[in-house]
Amino acid sequence: MHLSRELPDYAYSLRSADGHQAKVNDRVLSRSFLLAPDQLVEDWPVTSQTQLTPAHLDAVLAMEPALVILGTGERQVFPPAAVMAACLTKGIGIEVMTNASAARTFNVLAAEDRRVVAAFVLG
């Protein structure tokens, strides 16, 4: 049987993610970051799920997503209601999950050509 590697038709793909690091394409990141299919924003200034505020989502919302995926580390930790409202009041969906789940979900949605932005908290 012949196997071939399928390359995505978008610029950035998540290979793995956990609570401490993530692999975007062939690059290992150890600081929180934002990711869209065509854009990587490194050093997102969030080091803990507990410090997340609506202002932290300004950079996320500037990327004009239809859906935000918030990866909160090794455990799913819901942010304060005001953080969720920052997206929902603008008609933008937000899903909160572990970083590993967020990576898988991001890749599926990016492959479907969805306007998705993932925000990963690493610490």
Side-chain angles (χ1 to χ4, degrees), residues 11-104:
Y12 295 102
S13 179
L14 274 155
R15 302 291 179 216
S16 65
D18 60 26
H20 305 289
Q21 67 181 15
K23 188 171 185 180
V24 177
N25 293 352
D26 291 325
R27 185 168 181 185
V28 176
L29 303 175
S30 58
R31 297 184 57 141
S32 298
F33 65 97
L34 307 176
L35 187 66
D38 61 348
Q39 187 177 4
L40 170 63
V41 177
E42 296 184 58
D43 297 328
W44 185 42
V46 177
T47 57
S48 168
Q49 306 85 339
T50 60
Q51 79 173 115
L52 195 59
T53 67
H56 288 118
L57 294 184
D58 289 346
V60 175
L61 298 175
M63 298 169 81
E64 300 181 350
L67 175 68
V68 173
I69 300 170
L70 178 59
T72 59
E74 291 180 303
R75 294 178 310 135
Q76 180 185 36
V77 179
F78 285 91
V83 172
M84 301 290 283
C87 290
L88 298 175
T89 58
K90 292 177 175 41
I92 299 169
I94 180 168
E95 295 291 335
V96 180
M97 54 191 75
T98 67
N99 283 355
S101 295
R104 290 188 300 270

